[in-house]
Amino acid sequence: SYELTQPPSVSVSPGQTASITCSGDKLGHKYVCWYQQKPGQSPVLVIYQDNKRPSGIPERFSGSNSGNTATLTISGTQTMDEAEYYCQAWDSSTGVFGGGTKLTVL
Amino acid sequence: EVQLVESGGGLVQPGGSLRLSCAASGFTFNTFWMHWVRQAPGKGLVWVSRINTDGSSTSYADSVKGRFTISRDNAKNTLYLQMNSLRAEDTAVYYCAMGVSERLNRWGQGTLVTVSS
């Protein structure tokens, strides 16, 4: 079965740039979405189709996808961005999530 | 405003059954694919199932195939997940989500299913 691999944790200082990676076989041939989940809350879509932002998502969130790796980038990271982030793609008709990355802003 | 409200969760014994519901409002329900995603306590998100607009096409994760059935009633704006032969490892918060193309655009607040004797 298809797998997506994320680092368990990433740390960043406020105002700096955070990068969260998501790896999978030929992932660049698929569309990748990213979801943000804060403790006790439901997930929120922050990036779709590799690099598009839904309305209401700040411009500091961006994405890229090439080769075997997709990357979520948060520029000028704020303390409110501290959360778990999940990448997601489709393998045929089956949805696949990465294991999640805990972003700590300190 | 889009709203997705799950219900039907609770405590069930191993081998038992449960039916989850997701009441949708604020959008034209019958024009969107719908999904179920679960999250075990302290763990990550796991996609469970999806259904197309008229219910004629469904997909399942291997871990639930043959045990879970997704369905929808477009007249009632409601999504369902029938869960049979439940196992301890099915214990999770179950979210319904509205699908737009390849993305899960909006999520409900989730309903907790606990499988335990």
Side-chain angles (χ1 to χ4, degrees):
Chain A
S1 60
Y2 195 79
E3 293 185 358
L4 294 175
T5 301
Q6 297 179 236
S9 63
V10 168
S11 296
V12 64
S13 299
Q16 299 304 302
T17 297
S19 295
I20 299 173
T21 59
C22 173
S23 299
D25 185 48
K26 297 183 176 68
L27 185 57
H29 292 179
K30 306 176 187 294
Y31 274 141
V32 173
C33 298
W34 291 91
Y35 301 88
Q36 175 195 68
Q37 187 180 33
K38 296 181 179 180
Q41 297 184 17
S42 301
V44 172
L45 177 71
V46 294
I47 292 289
Y48 67 98
Q49 288 182 7
D50 298 339
N51 54 22
K52 294 181 171 56
R53 278 179 295 104
S55 61
I57 300 301
E59 290 184 10
R60 63 180 181 273
F61 287 87
S62 63
S64 64
N65 184 19
S66 180
N68 294 322
T69 304
T71 303
L72 173 68
T73 302
I74 308 173
S75 304
T77 307
Q78 300 184 9
T79 54
M80 68 173 65
D81 300 329
E82 186 163 287
E84 194 85 18
Y85 290 86
Y86 296 90
C87 61
Q88 181 255 320
W90 291 93
D91 180 45
S92 297
S93 300
T94 302
V96 181
F97 284 94
T101 298
K102 168 65 176 172
L103 177 66
T104 301
V105 183
L106 43 67
Chain B
E1 178 194 1
V2 171
Q3 282 205 320
L4 298 167
V5 180
E6 300 94 335
S7 61
L11 176 63
V12 61
Q13 292 189 338
S17 298
L18 213 54
R19 189 177 83 156
L20 306 183
S21 299
C22 170
S25 60
F27 65 102
T28 308
F29 181 70
N30 63 7
T31 64
F32 290 88
W33 290 48
M34 296 295 296
H35 302 255
W36 288 99
V37 177
R38 70 184 182 184
Q39 185 170 36
K43 302 297 185 182
L45 301 174
V46 176
W47 178 84
V48 173
S49 181
R50 75 173 182 186
I51 188 167
N52 70 345
T53 55
D54 65 2
S56 62
S57 175
T58 59
S59 301
Y60 299 92
D62 286 345
S63 58
V64 307
K65 203 172 295 183
R67 300 187 300 124
F68 290 12
T69 303
I70 190 172
S71 63
R72 64 191 297 161
D73 185 335
N74 285 342
K76 295 182 178 180
N77 288 347
T78 303
L79 173 73
Y80 301 102
L81 186 67
Q82 177 67 45
M83 304 185 296
N84 298 331
S85 304
L86 283 161
R87 307 165 180 166
E89 54 265 35
D90 296 318
T91 294
V93 172
Y94 284 74
Y95 296 99
C96 69
M98 165 191 169
V100 177
S101 295
E102 82 299 336
R103 61 195 181 269
L104 279 58
N105 221 37
R106 297 288 180 91
W107 299 58
Q109 86 291 345
T111 186
L112 176 62
V113 172
T114 303
V115 184
S116 175
S117 55

